[in-house]
Amino acid sequence: MITILESGKDTTATTLKMVFLMLAIHPDIQERVHEEILRVCPDTDQFVSMEDASALSYMEMVCKEVWRLYPVGPFVGRVAAQNIKLDDKHTIPANSQILINFHHLHRNPSTWGPDADKFIPDRFLPENCTQRHPYACLPFSAGPRNCIGLRYAWLSLKIIIVHVLRRYRLRTTLTMDRIKIRFSVVTRILDGCPITLEER
């Protein structure tokens, strides 16, 4: 439990920063999220239940698109337990060390189209996900070694977004083309993340 809480603080804070920045850059999307919040849990001081959080489907699409473009953990390392045949010409030998770059995987135009660098939450509409490989987007990794804090991350993220957007409108002078990121253990924005809050 301590591992989940401690490692989850920085990753959740980083994700929240990116979600709020994307909403500030895209006011139309911010308003759609706000409208959904008003339908599900409109009272400013209303408790956000697990059922409420589950009903915030558009907010979830927004978060998934943030994780696609700005995965908190940009890389993951693995060791091949056996030979992995990729195609007729390429095989990864057993015991090879593999570094998976989520940042590039999530922006691959052959999967995500020519607008892969754009912020479009509707990519995660159910009908748009059916034709896509389930491992095309891996913000929490996948398989037996995926992130153990997945459920905690989803719940805490949605609750905080609800409380902020019920009270404030987010604004920024930053634009998508001016965002510069640095890869380390956690993805970071260079040169700050200017967001202002305006009471609704």
Side-chain angles (χ1 to χ4, degrees):
M1 200 61 193
I2 290 170
T3 301
I4 293 172
L5 292 172
E6 285 303 312
S7 60
K9 282 193 302 188
D10 192 32
T11 52
T12 301
T14 300
T15 299
L16 278 168
K17 178 170 58 177
M18 291 310 304
V19 168
F20 290 148
L21 181 60
M22 290 299 103
L23 292 175
I25 291 173
H26 303 89
D28 54 328
I29 294 172
Q30 181 179 167
E31 288 313 304
R32 279 185 67 182
V33 174
H34 183 248
E35 286 166 14
E36 181 179 64
I37 291 169
L38 292 183
R39 283 195 306 272
V40 175
C41 42
D43 239 353
T44 308
D45 299 315
Q46 182 178 339
F47 176 79
V48 183
S49 68
M50 289 187 75
E51 291 75 22
D52 293 336
S54 298
L56 297 166
S57 56
Y58 185 68
M59 182 191 291
E60 188 162 314
M61 288 162 48
V62 167
C63 293
K64 286 179 178 179
E65 182 68 346
V66 168
W67 276 319
R68 182 186 73 81
L69 287 173
Y70 304 102
V72 178
F75 308 100
V76 69
R78 294 288 184 261
V79 175
Q82 59 193 32
N83 289 346
I84 303 170
K85 186 173 181 179
L86 300 178
D87 55 34
D88 290 337
K89 295 182 179 178
H90 303 93
T91 298
I92 299 173
N95 300 315
S96 296
Q97 294 185 9
I98 304 165
L99 186 66
I100 302 167
N101 184 328
F102 294 140
H103 179 80
H104 289 295
L105 173 69
H106 294 176
R107 291 173 183 245
N108 185 343
S110 66
T111 301
W112 301 98
D115 58 358
D117 289 333
K118 292 185 178 175
F119 183 74
I120 307 172
D122 284 356
R123 294 179 203 276
F124 290 95
L125 283 166
E127 60 268 28
N128 293 335
C129 295
T130 53
Q131 301 301 316
R132 201 161 51 232
H133 194 283
Y135 286 0
C137 188
L138 298 170
F140 292 95
S141 190
R145 295 207 45 190
N146 72 338
C147 176
I148 59 173
L150 172 60
R151 287 177 175 270
Y152 171 73
W154 267 123
L155 191 58
S156 59
L157 198 63
K158 285 182 172 183
I159 290 170
I160 294 168
I161 294 169
V162 166
H163 283 291
V164 171
L165 288 191
R166 280 195 302 205
R167 293 175 180 270
Y168 302 103
R169 185 174 284 107
L170 310 173
R171 300 198 185 280
T172 186
T173 55
L174 206 56
T175 54
M176 291 288 287
D177 59 313
R178 289 168 49 214
I179 296 174
K180 294 179 181 163
I181 55 176
R182 176 175 59 85
F183 298 131
S184 60
V185 176
V186 174
T187 300
R188 302 282 185 206
I189 299 178
L190 295 174
D191 305 324
C193 182
I195 297 174
T196 57
L197 302 178
E198 177 187 291
E199 279 198 66
R200 290 188 181 271

